[in-house]
């Protein structure tokens, strides 16, 4: 039995979380307050001046703006979907601003959604800018959850925590095996483990092994007796994905969350949309409309009026309040009715503390991508349930931790990591993979998964025949000795490699002008660990390949996706053997396991070859794949 003291461990996590919060605050809030607009523009933390490209009303009938920066367009920036921003006008100093949430941000354009009825008139007065803001709500909720868990005694929360650290034995119940012909053997075992666990069950799902399919099957079975289930994931995008798959399988799903952070495809399953389709909607709208009319009538009375006018105004306001109260009762009934009838309520960890869910408890939590969620975030969910099911892959990307000290001392250790360490009997691993050619699978399978993965017959020998030639599933293009050295962006410090970009352009040309057998149109992704490299590849390809099926993104952003062709640009090429981000092997595991049929890696063997991971990979390619020199791409 491990002797780890639960309270001491959680107290340490609280201190590390405080460090992380202070660091993020320093990077955003303090930086914005202490730095001039001119300097913020140079570093990308502010965009100014802006041009409005489009405005309108989107999800939930909330307004949005698509804006474009017109200066410093080469500066890298930290804006991305889900970030809080402040839209301001330099005409008014700090007197006029609007808080919104980024829907998406690319090199120089950004779509911002606002939770307000209408946009103010001053947005058309010119001199618009946008600042990145520090959003502390996530930290506040995580801190609350840690405090409650530290103080928990003799209740279900304290029992679950003791089980996670191995102090209390897990209990199981005997159940008949679930008969599902759509599941393979390891998926069936995982479902049975989830159904038979009283307390905690884990699903280790390596790339392409059908983790989502397995979770959906288990959810159908669990929802028979324990509905509604609380379903969550580490991010809004991941929560949307698992919720959509469950909805498409026939489960009644309600997605709770900030509309500005929810993908459009999930909108029909949001609480707002379900309310608008409820049988009591007309009564609710009628009461709200009548209350608004009463307020308008009352506001028409002037300041100087007599006793009768004052009495009439008071009556109108009183009636408006009564109507609004009735509308709120109907709204509360509709929300209760919708949630009560749901099989699944899906939300992010912080969303679980939204007003609609803050007082609800659930029997079972199913959390996808649990290996990417900070422990304190997962604890928010643990407090609301009796049983937890965690799914993910600790061999892929960990949670993002900005503070070096916090990362070094364990803040990136997840609840799933702890369970796999202290209660390994709770875990089942999915072992049949349905994505990759077996040659693409083989190296990560050996390095990360102890060769436990087996490629399914449907994809084991994925072949691509182009120009009457069978292409190798695995190709490494070596830039060693070609003078294709990396560069560093002066403002952001992010790396890029112009030589590799030129090779990528030639590879894309080869792919899109090839004569493929069966006239297939391959889907392609170009990924890199460095954002500056991604941005520069996008700039080079946006016009040439805008009509072709090409995705260009960072490795982190591409996790969970797959394509027929994957091109990885490693970027690093220097005389010191410095490989930077490439030292995170889990990030490279994500990159190496995205391709279905052909994986192309571009890198400098002289720079990466001293590292044991990359030395092994290069040796594997020489034996089982195709190895070319960049000299063959003479146009660079």
């Amino acid at each position: 039995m491990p002797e780890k003291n639960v309270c001491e461990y959680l107290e340490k996590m609280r201190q590390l979380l405080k460090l992380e919060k202070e660091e993020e605050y320093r990077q955003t809030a303090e930086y914005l307050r202490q730095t001039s607009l001119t300097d913020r523009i140079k570093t990308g933390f502010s965009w100014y001046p802006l041009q409005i490209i489009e405005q309108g009303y989107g999800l939930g009938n909330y307004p949005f703006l698509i804006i474009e920066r017109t200066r410093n367009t080469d500066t890298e920036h930290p804006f991305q979907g889900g970030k809080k921003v402040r839209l301001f006008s330099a005409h008014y100093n700090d007197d006029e601003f609007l808080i919104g949430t980024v829907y998406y941000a690319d090199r120089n354009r950004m779509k911002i959604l606002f939770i307000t009825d209408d946009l103010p008139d001053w947005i058309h007065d010119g001199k618009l800018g946008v600042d990145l803001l520090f959003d502390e709500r996530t930290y506040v909720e995580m801190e609350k959850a840690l405090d409650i868990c530290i103080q928990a005694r003799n209740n279900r929360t304290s029992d679950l925590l003791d089980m996670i650290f191995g102090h209390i034995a897990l209990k199981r119940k005997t159940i008949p095996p679930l008969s599902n012909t759509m599941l393979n053997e390891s998926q069936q075992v995982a479902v049975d483990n989830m159904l038979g666990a009283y307390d905690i069950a884990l699903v280790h799902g390596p790339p392409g092994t059908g983790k989502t399919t397995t979770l959906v099957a288990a959810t159908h079975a669990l929802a028979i007796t324990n509905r509604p289930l609380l379903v969550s994931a580490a991010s809004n995008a991941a929560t949307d994905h698992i919720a959509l798959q469950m909805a498409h399988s026939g489960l009644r799903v309600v997605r709770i969350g900030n509309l500005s952070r929810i993908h459009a495809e999930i909108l029909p399953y949001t609480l707002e949309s379900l309310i608008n389709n409820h049988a009591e909607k007309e009564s609710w709208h009628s009461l709200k409309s009548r209350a608004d009319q009463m307020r308008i009538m009352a506001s028409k009375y002037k300041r100087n009026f007599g006793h009768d006018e004052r009495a009439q105004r008071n009556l109108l306001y009183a009636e408006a309040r009564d109507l609004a109260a009735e509308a709120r009762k109907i709204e509360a009934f509709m929300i209760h009715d919708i949630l009560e009838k749901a099989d699944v309520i899906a939300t992010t960890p912080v969303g679980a503390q939204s007003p609609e869910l803050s007082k609800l408890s659930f029997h079972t939590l199913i959390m996808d991508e649990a290996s990417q969620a900070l422990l304190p975030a997962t604890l928010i969910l643990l407090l609301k349930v009796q049983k937890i099911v965690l799914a993910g892959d600790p061999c892929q990307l960990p949670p993002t931790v900005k503070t070096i000290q916090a990362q070094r001392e364990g803040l990136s250790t997840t609840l799933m990591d702890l369970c796999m360490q202290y209660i390994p009997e709770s875990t089942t691993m999915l072992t049949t993979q349905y994505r990759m050619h077996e040659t693409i699978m083989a190296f990560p399978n050996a390095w990360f998964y102890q060769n436990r993965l087996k490629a399914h017959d449907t994809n084991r020998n994925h072949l691509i025949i182009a120009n009457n030639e069978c292409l190798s599933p695995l190709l490494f293009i070596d830039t060693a000795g070609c003078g294709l050295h990396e560069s560093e962006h002066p403002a952001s410090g992010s790396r890029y490699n112009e030589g590799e970009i030129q090779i990528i352009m030639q590879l894309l040309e080869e792919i899109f002008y090839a004569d493929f057998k069966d006239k297939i149109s391959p889907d392609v992704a170009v990924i890199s660990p460095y954002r500056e490299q991604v941005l520069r590849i996008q700039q080079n390809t946006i016009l040439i390949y805008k009509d072709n099926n090409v995705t260009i993104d960072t490795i982190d952003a591409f996790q969970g996706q797959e394509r027929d062709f994957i091109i990885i640009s490693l970027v690093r090429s220097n005389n010191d053997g410095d490989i930077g981000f490439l030292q995170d092997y889990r990030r490279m595991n994500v990159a190496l396991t995205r391709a279905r049929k052909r994986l192309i890696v571009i890198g400098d063997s002289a720079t990466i070859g001293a590292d044991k991971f990359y030395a092994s990979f290069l040796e594997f390619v020489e034996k089982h794949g195709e190895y070319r020199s960049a000299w063959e791409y003479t146009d660079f």
Side-chain angles (χ1 to χ4, degrees):
M1 281 285 182
E3 295 300 325
K4 177 75 73 171
N5 183 288
V6 178
C7 290
E8 287 181 5
Y9 185 85
L10 296 181
E11 180 61 43
K12 180 182 179 182
M13 290 302 104
R14 180 163 60 178
Q15 296 306 314
L16 295 178
L17 187 67
K18 182 180 178 182
L19 288 177
E20 183 74 358
K21 179 181 179 180
E22 289 172 350
E23 175 63 14
E24 186 167 345
Y25 181 82
R26 184 192 65 79
Q27 289 183 9
T28 53
E30 279 191 7
Y31 177 82
L32 293 174
R33 187 173 63 248
Q34 297 175 1
T35 309
S36 69
L37 178 58
T38 301
D39 288 338
R40 298 201 310 266
I41 294 168
K42 289 179 181 177
T43 56
F45 271 77
S46 298
W47 286 11
Y48 179 87
L50 300 177
Q51 175 180 327
I52 296 177
I53 303 300
E54 184 182 344
Q55 69 180 86
Y57 291 83
L59 303 181
N61 205 36
Y62 290 123
F64 71 83
L65 286 177
I66 297 178
I67 52 95
E68 182 176 58
R69 59 175 173 176
T70 56
R71 296 180 193 167
N72 296 86
T73 54
D74 291 331
T75 303
E76 192 177 356
H77 62 79
F79 294 96
Q80 56 183 289
K83 293 287 189 179
K84 287 289 184 184
V85 295
R86 182 187 74 142
L87 184 75
F88 66 88
S89 171
H91 278 303
Y92 303 99
N93 297 318
D94 289 330
D95 296 330
E96 298 288 356
F97 62 88
L98 197 60
I99 305 300
T101 305
V102 177
Y103 188 71
Y104 72 79
D106 55 28
R107 183 77 183 193
N108 291 307
R109 284 196 178 186
M110 189 189 312
K111 183 175 182 179
I112 308 173
L113 279 69
F114 303 93
I115 306 300
T116 185
D117 292 331
D118 295 292
L119 295 171
D121 292 336
W122 55 260
I123 67 168
H124 301 294
D125 294 343
K127 292 191 174 182
L128 282 183
V130 65
D131 291 325
L132 184 69
L133 291 182
F134 173 66
D135 184 7
E136 70 171 2
R137 185 192 169 206
T138 300
Y139 285 103
V140 169
E141 296 299 341
M142 289 193 291
E143 288 165 349
K144 285 181 183 176
L146 280 167
D147 288 342
I148 295 171
C149 288
I150 289 170
Q151 297 167 19
R153 300 288 186 278
N154 303 317
N155 58 21
R156 186 56 178 167
T157 296
S158 62
D159 286 348
L160 284 173
L161 289 169
D162 280 334
M163 290 174 192
I164 288 164
F165 287 94
H167 298 318
I168 298 178
L170 299 178
K171 292 181 291 185
R172 291 193 57 80
K173 54 187 174 183
T174 303
I175 59 166
L178 180 69
S179 177
N180 188 329
T181 57
M182 302 299 292
L183 301 177
N184 63 45
E185 183 179 353
S186 66
Q187 290 172 335
Q188 186 73 65
V189 171
V191 171
D192 291 344
N193 180 47
M194 287 184 270
L195 299 183
Y198 269 112
D199 314 296
I200 300 167
L202 271 65
V203 180
H204 181 186
T209 54
K211 172 168 58 68
T212 300
T213 299
T214 307
L215 290 180
V216 170
T219 302
H220 273 276
L222 288 166
I224 294 172
T225 55
N226 294 317
R227 49 178 295 273
L229 278 69
L230 179 61
V231 170
S232 189
S235 66
N236 277 283
T239 303
D240 285 348
H241 175 73
I242 187 66
L244 268 175
Q245 298 308 308
M246 290 182 172
H248 291 164
S249 75
L251 289 164
R252 289 169 291 187
V253 173
V254 181
R255 173 67 162 98
I256 302 290
N258 185 336
L259 280 176
S260 64
R261 300 188 182 191
I262 293 176
H263 193 277
E265 195 177 355
I266 197 72
L267 182 61
Y269 307 101
T270 62
L271 184 60
E272 291 79 2
S273 293
L274 294 169
I275 285 174
N276 282 326
N277 290 308
H278 197 276
E280 296 295 327
K281 179 194 71 172
E282 295 302 328
S283 299
W284 176 56
H285 273 310
S286 175
L287 287 166
K288 287 179 63 180
S289 178
R290 288 164 57 194
D292 290 341
Q293 291 173 8
M294 294 300 106
R295 293 190 190 96
I296 292 170
M297 292 171 61
S299 66
K300 289 181 179 178
Y301 286 99
K302 306 298 179 185
R303 289 184 178 180
N304 298 319
F305 49 81
H307 177 271
D308 292 342
E309 289 82 3
R310 181 178 289 105
Q312 182 63 22
R313 186 184 71 163
N314 290 340
L315 285 172
L316 289 169
Y317 274 131
E319 187 170 355
R321 287 193 296 271
D322 291 342
L323 290 167
E326 286 300 313
R328 284 193 294 272
K329 288 180 182 178
I330 293 178
E331 182 178 42
F333 166 77
M334 290 191 294
I335 291 173
H336 176 77
D337 187 52
I338 290 167
L339 297 181
E340 188 178 54
K341 292 177 180 177
D343 296 316
V344 166
I345 296 175
T347 184
T348 59
V350 174
Q353 290 301 91
S354 63
E356 298 85 2
L357 302 183
S358 59
K359 296 181 180 179
L360 291 184
S361 59
F362 301 82
H363 182 273
T364 302
L365 162 71
I366 294 182
M367 186 174 191
D368 197 10
E369 304 298 354
S371 54
Q372 282 192 280
L374 289 173
L375 169 65
T378 312
L379 293 180
I380 298 172
L381 302 167
L382 181 142
L383 290 170
K384 304 181 76 66
V385 299
Q386 302 294 307
K387 170 179 173 176
I388 59 176
V389 174
L390 304 178
D393 183 7
C395 299
Q396 295 189 64
L397 285 171
T400 299
V401 177
K402 298 181 177 67
T403 314
I404 294 175
Q405 180 184 348
Q407 186 178 54
R408 186 181 296 126
E409 295 185 20
L411 185 58
S412 58
T413 300
T414 67
L415 191 67
M416 188 166 188
D417 293 331
L418 294 174
C419 290
M420 293 181 75
Q421 178 181 355
Y422 292 115
I423 45 172
E425 68 274 17
S426 67
T427 304
T428 51
M429 179 176 168
L430 306 180
T431 56
T432 302
Q433 99 41 44
Y434 296 88
R435 175 184 300 163
M436 295 164 273
H437 187 286
E438 61 182 354
T439 302
I440 299 173
M441 177 193 76
F443 178 74
N445 188 23
W447 189 273
F448 295 101
Y449 304 110
Q450 299 79 49
N451 285 317
R452 294 177 65 187
L453 300 184
K454 304 297 179 185
H456 192 261
D457 290 343
T458 56
N459 54 280
R460 177 179 291 119
N461 294 308
H462 272 321
L463 293 177
I464 297 181
I465 299 176
N467 305 322
N468 296 317
E469 178 186 356
C470 185
L471 301 181
S472 171
L474 179 60
L475 167 63
F476 182 78
I477 299 175
D478 193 354
T479 66
C482 297
L484 305 184
H485 296 303
E486 68 189 69
S487 301
E488 181 177 350
H489 191 283
S492 66
S494 185
R495 310 283 173 149
Y496 62 97
N497 190 311
E498 292 288 357
E500 289 190 12
I501 293 172
Q502 295 308 307
I503 295 173
I504 289 166
M505 297 298 290
Q506 291 186 60
L507 289 170
L508 291 175
E509 184 175 353
E510 288 179 7
I511 292 170
F512 288 114
Y513 287 98
D515 180 17
F516 288 100
K517 185 180 178 181
D518 302 326
K519 304 301 179 184
I520 65 169
S521 178
D523 52 352
V524 183
V526 182
I527 58 178
S528 176
Y530 291 93
R531 182 167 176 78
E532 184 62 30
Q533 181 77 342
V534 167
L535 294 172
R536 288 172 183 261
I537 297 169
Q538 289 173 341
Q539 285 180 322
N540 277 271
T541 59
I542 191 168
L543 295 178
I544 302 174
Y545 296 110
K546 65 179 180 179
D547 296 325
N548 289 304
N549 192 8
V550 182
T551 301
I552 301 165
D553 218 330
T554 61
I555 294 171
D556 297 44
F558 201 72
Q559 180 162 348
Q561 301 183 59
E562 59 187 76
R563 296 291 187 274
D564 288 337
F565 282 77
I566 293 289
I567 301 171
I568 305 173
S569 175
L570 297 183
V571 176
R572 301 312 294 260
S573 178
N574 54 71
N575 296 325
D576 302 320
D578 182 5
I579 63 173
F581 279 157
L582 304 186
Q583 288 178 310
D584 189 340
Y585 303 153
R586 288 179 295 184
R587 177 175 279 107
M588 287 312 301
N589 184 31
V590 172
L592 295 171
T593 55
R594 301 303 99 196
R596 291 190 286 259
K597 300 179 180 180
R598 183 162 164 84
L599 172 64
I600 303 172
V601 182
I602 308 170
D604 182 346
S605 63
T607 299
I608 67 175
D611 180 271
K612 59 181 180 179
F613 175 85
Y614 294 98
S616 297
F617 174 69
L618 294 173
E619 182 180 350
F620 178 87
V621 175
E622 287 187 296
K623 290 181 179 178
H624 304 285
E626 185 179 2
Y627 201 108
R628 291 185 190 173
S629 169
W631 285 116
E632 297 181 37
Y633 296 83
T634 55
D635 290 346
F636 66 75

